[in-house]
Every structure is written in C-alpha cells, then in structure tokens.
Amino acid sequence: MRRRAALPGFGLALGVTWLWLGLIVLVPLSALVLRPWELGLAGVWASVTEPRVLAALRLSFGAALVAALVDLPLGLLVAWVVVRYRFPGRRVLDAAIDLPFALPTAVAGLALTALYAPNGWLGAPLAAMGVTVAFTPVGVAVALAFVGLPFVVRMVEPVLRDLGPEAEEAAAVLGATRWQAWRRVVLPALGPALVSGVALAFARAVGEYGSVIFIAGNRPMESEIAPLLIVARLEQYDYAGAAALGLAMLLLSFACLLVFAAMQRRLRRGMA
Amino acid sequence: MIEVTGLHLRYGGVAALDGVELALRPGEFVALLGASGSGKTTLLRSLAGLEFPDAGQVRIDGRDMAQVPARERGIGFVFQNYALFRHMTVFENIAFGLRIKPRRLRPGRAEIGRRVEELLALVRLPGMGGRYPDQLSGGQRQRVALARALAIEPRVLLLDEPFGALDAKVRKELRHWLRGLHDRLGLTSLFVTHDQDEALELADRVAVMRDGRVVQFDTPEALLAAPADAGVAGFLGDAVPVECEVRGGQAWFAALPPVAVEGVAEGKGIAFLRPVDLLAEPGAGEARVAAARRDGRGVRLTVEAGEVLLEAVPSPGWVPQRGEACRVTVVAARVFPRQDGAGRA
C-alpha cells in the first residue's frame, strides 16, 4: 500500500526532475562520453596527454582554483558591506555585483584586456612595477576572478543576513574579541555557504571562455586554456579529439565538485 | 550597583533615550516596563555596552563604563530572540564564554565540562548538551541562553523580553523559576517587558518608561496605589479612563456616583478605574450587566454605565445575569487633571 505523505506530488516532481536532467544534461553529456572512443582507448589517452593539452588543463583548473580562492575573501567582504552597512549608493553597488553575469563575456574580456594591456589604465602602472597581467596566466586568473565574484557574494549574502548582528553581539557580551567572534561564530556559520560560493565560482571559471581568450594571449604551453583548445580542435574537424578533451574536463570538474561537496558536508555536520 | 544618570541617545533625529535616571540596589530584581518604542531595550543595550549613549553616565559598582567595551563588562545578557550560536551544540554554546577567556584565566577542559554540566542541571536541561539549538523548544532555548549568560558568572543579569516568544503556560512557569534562580544566585537583574502582569508579579521594583525617560520607579504596590501621572495610571492595572469633573473634593461622573478625591485641582479631570475599584450590587440603578463570565478566578463582570463599559467586582453571593439592572459604587479612583495625551504610557 502506498503511504500518504503530507507533501504531495513527490512522484510527479521526481519524474519531471529526471526528465529534465535526462534531456538537458545526461543526453548531451552521454554523447560527449561516447564520442571519443572511435579513437580507441590508446588514442584517447594519447589525445589528452599531449604536453600542450596537459599544460592547458593545468592552467584552466589551476587558474580557476586561484580565482575562486581570491573570490572567497573578496566576496565575503562585499557581502558583508552590502548586508551590514547602510550608505548612499548601496543599491547601486548591490545591482553592480551581478554585472559580470549580465555582461556578454566577450565584452568583459575586451574590457579587461584594454584595462590590463601594457598601455592600459591598470596595465601601464603595473608594467612600470614589472608586473605583466595581460597575455599571461595572471591575466587568466584575473578574468576568472571577475566572472566568479557574484557567485560567492550571492551565496554568502542571505546566510549573513539571516545570521544578523545578534550572534556577534552575544559573543561580545560573553567576552569575545572581534577576532574571536569572527573566528568562532561568524565564519563557522558562513562556512557551508562560502564553500558553495567558491565551488560555483570555480565551476564557472573552469568552463569560462569568452572573457578569458582576449586577455590570455593564448600562447600554447603558457597561457592557453583548455576550452580554447577544444574550439581549436573543432575548427580542425577533429571532433573525437575535442570530445576526448571535453571528457577529461568533465571528469576533472566532477571530481573537484565532489571534493567541495564533501567539504561542505563536513562543515554542515550536525547542523539541522 | 547600577547607576544611570542623564543618559541621552539619539537615532537620526529621534531621541531614543532622553535623560534616563535609574539606580539599582544590589540583589534587586527590576522590571523595565513600557510600550514599544519607549526606549527600554535601548537602555538595556546601553548598559551592556552594545549602544553608545551621546551623553550621561552608566556606573556599575561605582565604575564609569564609558570606556569599557561590552566584552569587558562581565554582564550576563539574554537576547530577545536568544541569539544562540546555531552551528554549536548546547554544550558548546554554554562553554563559549569560558573557552574564549585569555589563557591564564581559562579553566581546564575538565573544569569547563564540569561547569557546563552544572549549568545544564541548573537550567533543568541535564543530558541535553549534545543537541543543537534547532532541536529545542522555545522554552528550552530560552534556558540555554540563560545558562550561556550565567557561564561567565556575571553579577548583573540583563534580559530583553525574556518571555516574549513563549506561550502563556511556559511563560508563567519560567517566570517563577527565573525569579527563584535570581534569588538563589544573588544576582542583580534587570528585565525588559511590555507585559504589566509580568512586571508587577515578578519585580521588586518596576521602572515605567515612556518617550525615552523613566517616568516612575517604585514597588508594584506603590505604582498601583499612587501612579505618578495619567500615563502610568492608564498603563497599569487594567484601568479604564473615565471623564469626570472635580468639584468640592469629589469627582463627579456622568453615570456613576461621585467619589471623594484628594489633592486634585478643580475642573475637568480623568479618573482611572480598575475592576477592584468598582463594587456592583443587584437592584435598580443607573448601570446594567453587559456580560458575566465565570472563570478560574470567580465571576468576571462587565457593567455598562452610561456610555462606558467597566469591569467591576460583584457583591458576594450575587449571581449576575446579562441585562440585569445594578448599582455601582466607586470605592476609589485615581484622578488627574485632564490634558491632551492623557491615558498614554
């Protein structure tokens, strides 16, 4: 006999969920998984272990991780300012946070490139200090940090708002210094949201294309990202090779997201 | 013990505290009573160091608190919504104040464990240390918040609407328990409430606040017997304001017999009549029984006299019926000269 539940519609909801996942996510992905094997196992392996491919993967994932980690304190700070302080222009700032979402990524890429090019507003003073950002891996990380920031801010913001100033006040009255209140009360409460934000920023950064290719310079072995390499292979009608690289990225990304999920579970443990 | 003199605090253009004067004796249990917006929570937060007054002084044990940050005041504070740390167990919540002490003052692990268990027993939550705040009822959370505040062994306990979020039955239980705890631990406590029953029943003295000032600070008996002004009288003891005319040492009503009053200027006045001030008897008179209802405390009688509805005490042995005519005697009344704003607290 079926048990009655207080929340009806489980069967229907689950059905729609699977259908959606299947059509939009699993079918295209399975094509990606099936396609490269016409090269044979050895062929796939050779295709994804070319030095140029390995360098591109290392840059894509490494720069994405660096960018996500840079977004962590920056996003926390922005969320903090938006939630805790009232100042003129707060609404404008709040709306501006989402701009990296709305901007066509190519526009963002061009803007960043113009800004950081050796003759740009920021690039020129940096060049004088001996730092080159544009057309180097640093430039890649800068572009990725730019597109990832809203994820961290938007994940942390509601949790911070919900936490309210009372928890910190309670800690202060109990004798905690500012640092102790942060370390023991605020950060642990924000932990799961921070990990989610970083994971989302990271995931977006790994797949990012438009905003990176202009500033990266795309020099093989140095500043060439993996998605660009996939596009390059497609342009040479090497569909299987492109799919092989795509599969490698898929597996690596999935592994990374599993790690983030595990971290989040640990931080959340015991919290209802 | 706690002395507040001339405390002023403005938010934007509004005076939240407008010259508060208050002095608590050691061991006292004091209620801050007032409508919302009267400044009672702001005063409490100023004592704890969570608000910074523009002028005036807060002294605790004779020491000026102006330069003392909240964390060094050693005050127990229970927040209205408890502000428990949700990611910590009950045990960790209570241990927090001990764990963050500087190393040389911090008790050892075993000592912290022992102290927390003691506090859990004190607030009648033994064995609940492993739970998270989300897994507790409102009354239990309230007691965890109290145990957490007591862990640092404060001599002053401040409570912001401590029973506000609890249902009526739990609230009554906790009230008496809290009062007992206060007496046992020898604390000096100040609690904020907008519930006059709570204040009058529990406190040694009640400070009535209005518009950022303490308008009267006295024992419950004295407050009820001699309210300082019309506002306090209207706020306390379920008093109903009735217009009257003071002439020749008596207050004259439209539809009630006159009553003797002392020291009130002649002219238009406003009388505050509590249920216990009015005695109703059966028989032909100017009043009529509007409602009579039995409950645990006996008969609750509402009479209609002229245009006004008043609660009154029925004479012994009389079983009033709705619509029955009756006579009402005014036993006592607190009368104030009429002016605008009377009846506000």
Side-chain angles (χ1 to χ4, degrees):
Chain A
M1 203 181 86
R2 280 185 57 191
R3 281 189 52 189
R4 291 180 61 191
L7 298 175
F10 173 69
L12 181 65
L14 189 68
V16 170
T17 304
W18 274 115
L19 185 69
W20 177 261
L21 260 173
L23 287 178
I24 305 296
V25 181
L26 294 179
V27 169
L29 282 185
S30 63
L32 186 64
V33 172
L34 294 175
R35 188 66 201 260
W37 303 110
E38 61 195 49
L39 294 173
L41 194 59
V44 170
W45 184 251
S47 161
V48 298
T49 52
E50 276 176 30
R52 187 175 168 192
V53 173
L54 286 180
L57 284 174
R58 207 176 300 129
L59 176 63
S60 268
F61 283 88
L65 189 65
V66 168
L69 291 179
V70 168
D71 284 336
L72 172 73
L74 212 57
L76 180 56
L77 183 71
V78 173
W80 180 266
V81 168
V82 169
V83 170
R84 284 296 158 83
Y85 301 113
R86 293 289 169 269
F87 52 91
R90 189 180 70 92
R91 279 170 201 287
V92 176
L93 177 72
D94 195 21
I97 291 165
D98 292 327
L99 276 182
F101 279 147
L103 222 51
T105 52
V107 175
L110 285 170
L112 285 170
T113 311
L115 200 58
Y116 285 102
N119 57 357
W121 287 351
L122 285 175
L126 282 172
M129 287 158 61
V131 183
T132 357
V133 174
F135 318 126
T136 67
V138 180
V140 175
V142 167
L144 295 182
F146 172 78
V147 295
L149 188 65
F151 291 99
V152 178
V153 177
R154 294 299 181 218
M155 287 307 290
V156 171
E157 202 188 307
V159 185
L160 192 59
R161 203 181 297 278
D162 188 44
L163 185 67
E166 286 90 3
E168 282 164 76
E169 287 178 351
V173 172
L174 287 167
T177 59
R178 282 298 286 165
W179 165 243
Q180 283 174 320
W182 258 88
R183 168 72 195 74
R184 287 169 175 268
V185 175
V186 179
L187 284 181
L190 297 181
L194 280 170
V195 173
S196 293
V198 167
L200 283 174
F202 173 81
R204 166 76 194 262
V206 166
E208 182 60 25
Y209 180 77
S211 64
V212 185
I213 49 168
F214 297 103
I215 200 172
N218 309 323
R219 283 198 290 261
M221 300 300 295
E222 197 204 318
S223 61
E224 185 178 53
I225 56 167
L228 183 73
L229 213 50
I230 296 178
V231 174
R233 285 185 172 182
L234 287 174
E235 280 171 349
Q236 292 156 17
Y237 306 106
D238 179 9
Y239 295 127
L245 187 43
L247 181 62
M249 288 196 73
L250 180 70
L251 292 177
L252 282 170
S253 299
F254 195 56
C256 291
L257 291 178
L258 281 179
V259 171
F260 282 123
M263 279 173 65
Q264 206 176 15
R265 237 190 342 271
R266 271 193 53 175
L267 287 173
R268 217 188 275 274
R269 189 190 302 162
M271 284 178 68
Chain B
M1 185 69 198
I2 299 180
E3 291 161 87
V4 177
T5 41
L7 215 56
H8 287 264
L9 197 158
R10 300 182 77 83
Y11 281 126
V14 188
L17 299 180
D18 191 14
V20 173
E21 308 279 336
L22 190 69
L24 268 63
R25 296 191 278 260
E28 247 186 336
F29 198 71
V30 171
L32 268 181
L33 178 67
S36 53
S38 58
K40 45 196 199 313
T41 293
T42 308
L43 174 57
L44 201 72
R45 289 171 56 86
S46 303
L47 295 180
L50 297 172
E51 301 284 348
F52 303 94
D54 304 322
Q57 207 179 32
V58 174
R59 296 168 75 84
I60 295 178
D61 283 334
R63 184 172 167 217
D64 183 7
M65 287 286 129
Q67 300 303 323
V68 183
R71 67 167 187 277
E72 286 168 22
R73 295 195 184 187
I75 285 175
F77 197 101
V78 177
F79 289 80
Q80 184 171 8
N81 55 6
Y82 317 137
L84 294 176
F85 305 134
R86 272 174 292 178
H87 61 284
M88 293 184 201
T89 60
V90 167
F91 184 100
E92 287 304 321
N93 264 283
I94 299 174
F96 184 85
L98 302 173
R99 287 208 200 283
I100 57 168
K101 280 179 189 277
R103 194 169 303 252
R104 70 203 148 74
L105 299 174
R106 194 188 309 155
R109 273 181 85 84
E111 171 67 9
I112 289 178
R114 199 182 56 74
R115 291 262 286 278
V116 173
E117 291 304 329
E118 258 177 34
L119 284 161
L120 279 171
L122 184 72
V123 298
R124 300 186 305 185
L125 291 169
M128 301 285 252
R131 302 278 186 95
Y132 282 84
D134 288 358
Q135 301 168 312
L136 303 179
S137 72
Q140 289 172 330
R141 277 183 222 176
Q142 215 264 358
R143 283 178 280 153
V144 173
L146 192 62
R148 183 179 69 176
L150 292 174
I152 58 170
E153 300 187 328
R155 298 179 50 214
V156 175
L157 187 62
L158 306 176
L159 306 107
D160 190 3
E161 296 273 2
F163 313 105
L166 305 173
D167 61 65
K169 191 166 146 51
V170 177
R171 185 187 297 206
K172 281 212 160 144
E173 273 173 30
L174 269 183
R175 255 188 220 176
H176 293 288
W177 172 78
L178 179 67
R179 176 71 224 225
L181 197 70
H182 162 92
D183 293 340
R184 211 149 19 111
L185 298 179
L187 296 162
T188 304
S189 307
L190 183 62
F191 75 102
V192 159
T193 183
H194 62 265
D195 179 340
Q196 51 153 317
D197 288 340
E198 207 162 274
L200 297 174
E201 190 180 321
L202 221 53
D204 296 321
R205 286 198 290 169
V206 178
V208 182
M209 283 194 78
R210 191 203 311 143
D211 299 335
R213 256 185 297 249
V214 174
V215 286
Q216 194 172 8
F217 184 31
D218 225 325
T219 61
E221 295 75 30
L223 277 178
L224 287 173
D229 60 25
V232 177
F235 197 63
L236 293 176
D238 298 318
V240 177
V242 182
E243 288 178 21
C244 64
E245 174 102 31
V246 180
R247 228 179 315 115
Q250 284 195 310
W252 298 81
F253 299 94
L256 288 168
V259 61
V261 291
E262 270 176 40
V264 184
E266 302 256 315
K268 284 194 184 303
I270 191 140
F272 290 90
L273 303 175
R274 295 173 302 181
V276 293
D277 297 332
L278 299 169
L279 180 68
E281 292 164 300
E286 53 282 272
R288 204 171 54 79
V289 177
R293 178 165 61 82
R294 264 161 222 294
D295 67 8
R297 297 180 203 167
V299 179
R300 310 258 284 197
L301 175 65
T302 309
V303 298
E304 193 183 335
E307 303 281 275
V308 240
L309 283 175
L310 296 161
E311 268 203 59
V313 179
S315 65
W318 176 39
V319 183
Q321 299 296 321
R322 237 166 78 117
E324 200 178 336
C326 63
R327 257 197 326 273
V328 175
T329 316
V330 182
V331 181
R334 277 141 304 277
V335 181
F336 298 90
R338 192 137 123 243
Q339 52 195 218
D340 287 329
R344 217 158 46 92

